[in-house]
Amino acid sequence: MRARTRIALGAAGALAAAGILAGCGDAGSSGTEAPAAGATGAGCAPVAGDQLVVLEDDQALQNTDNIVPAVNAEAAQPEVIAALDKVSAALDTEQLIDLNRAVDVDRKTPAVAAEEFAASTGLTDGIAAGPGGELVVGAANFSESQILGELYRIVLTAAGYQVTVQQIGNRELYEPALESGEIQVVPEYAATLADFLNNKVSGENAPAISSSDLDETMTGLRRVGEQVGLTFGTPSAAQNQNAFAVTSEFAEEYGVRTLSDLAEKCSGAATILGGPPECPQRPKCQQGLVEVYDFRAGEFSSLDAGGPQTKTALTTGAISVGLVFSSDGELAAG
């Protein structure tokens, strides 16, 4: 997985296999002592439960990985952008969770889930017809990207284009294809892509241009995108970013709804944080929880990146809090 701004995975660990989304940043090394060392206080012991809920990131630790359509500049006709923006306007994170649940839990195909969503929301209502022609929508090899690709297909077809959805591996594979015009449209993640393109344009050690402010992130993304022949539609309210989950039973027992609550009530010896092995040294994972929230777990459990190990450890009461992706289909419905 190419390290950028995120580390966690979506449902069933699909994003890790794709190698597409971000890491938690570049700080630290595997030999760094976990910042939880020296935690004081009683903490909050794990509480088993069947349902996972995300704690609100109320001090904006994570960057703005809002879903945004990325378009080859030569294909960016006004009708194309307007159609793609219909998807952005229709989606929020709760709806994205529902779509992921339909595929990853209920085992519908991405095309069926997308068609049902389009029908229930009137997604194609009022779409203006463009000049037509063939368009290829690229999708990464994990279900969320494929669902979004199918939604893009639906609206672009309604605008009069002949559209196919092509699955093209990870970002290192599909981004050059988007630049060259081999594919014309890809669903993307604002903060992750901004830093990916910035490193491509300015070098691997270039400072990050993503932030917790969406306008700042999009300004940086549009600037570097212009340099490589890409343009962007309107970002969606839907985000897929690092998040920290607990069981609903844990949230009720300890009265926590936000990461600030977690830091205030649960810093201490009994609290077990779970995540991938690199989490203790990453600024969007345990290191960030210490620096931004002053949250200090008593113990760190090395698991996977938001996949089945972490989610099972939460539901069975092996860990108190774990790193997940905010649009995971196994999270509680809104």
Side-chain angles (χ1 to χ4, degrees):
M1 181 175 290
R2 190 176 182 89
R4 285 291 177 264
T5 59
R6 302 194 327 206
I7 198 170
L9 288 192
L15 301 187
I20 181 172
L21 295 179
C24 276
D26 300 324
S29 68
S30 59
T32 304
E33 184 180 61
T40 60
C44 298
V47 180
D50 295 329
Q51 188 64 69
L52 303 183
V53 294
V54 164
L55 299 177
E56 179 188 349
D57 180 17
D58 54 312
Q59 294 188 43
L61 167 62
Q62 306 300 337
N63 288 339
T64 47
D65 253 334
N66 298 63
I67 291 163
V68 62
V71 187
N72 178 279
E74 293 185 2
Q77 297 163 341
E79 296 85 357
V80 168
I81 299 298
L84 296 171
D85 284 351
K86 289 278 286 185
V87 176
S88 294
L91 275 179
D92 61 22
T93 302
E94 293 299 333
Q95 290 166 320
L96 187 58
I97 290 172
D98 288 341
L99 283 165
N100 284 328
R101 183 181 299 113
V103 174
D104 295 324
V105 178
D106 300 336
R107 300 304 178 189
K108 297 179 181 179
T109 67
V112 167
E115 292 285 358
E116 290 178 351
F117 178 82
S120 66
T121 59
L123 187 63
T124 60
D125 294 351
I127 289 181
E134 296 183 356
L135 292 174
V136 179
V137 175
N141 55 349
F142 61 95
S143 56
E144 181 173 287
S145 184
Q146 293 157 19
I147 295 165
L148 294 166
E150 294 292 346
L151 289 172
Y152 288 175
R153 173 188 59 80
I154 290 167
V155 294
L156 291 170
T157 299
Y161 296 90
Q162 291 76 55
V163 187
T164 56
V165 179
Q166 182 176 347
Q167 184 174 310
I168 310 180
N170 60 22
R171 182 175 288 109
E172 285 78 6
L173 293 176
Y174 70 67
E175 191 278 331
L178 185 62
E179 284 189 30
S180 69
E182 179 183 347
I183 58 178
Q184 285 77 47
V185 181
V186 171
E188 262 292 2
Y189 300 86
T192 299
L193 184 62
D195 290 335
F196 178 91
L197 291 179
N198 188 45
N199 285 1
K200 184 173 184 176
V201 169
S202 304
E204 286 294 321
N205 296 321
I209 59 173
S210 64
S211 79
S212 59
D213 182 277
L214 180 58
D215 289 340
E216 290 182 10
T217 296
M218 287 303 302
T219 295
L221 176 58
R222 291 190 173 102
R223 175 177 57 79
V224 293
E226 185 177 3
Q227 297 179 61
V228 295
L230 302 183
T231 191
F232 305 95
T234 302
S236 172
Q239 295 194 63
N240 185 345
Q241 60 189 167
N242 280 356
F244 294 93
V246 298
T247 62
S248 57
E249 291 82 356
F250 180 99
E252 287 297 327
E253 179 164 333
Y254 296 110
V256 296
R257 295 291 181 270
T258 68
L259 290 176
S260 290
D261 291 340
L262 185 74
E264 178 184 354
K265 299 177 181 182
C266 294
S267 289
T271 305
I272 305 172
L273 171 66
E278 60 269 35
C279 178
Q281 291 82 40
R282 300 299 188 179
K284 300 301 179 183
C285 201
Q286 190 175 16
Q287 183 184 37
L289 289 173
V290 172
E291 294 176 352
V292 175
Y293 287 97
D294 196 26
F295 167 67
R296 299 176 185 273
E299 182 181 342
F300 176 75
S301 179
S302 180
L303 301 166
D304 58 9
Q309 291 181 17
T310 298
K311 289 181 281 188
T312 297
L314 284 164
T315 57
T316 60
I319 61 175
S320 307
V321 57
L323 186 70
V324 298
F325 264 0
S326 63
S327 63
D328 192 317
E330 295 182 34
L331 296 176

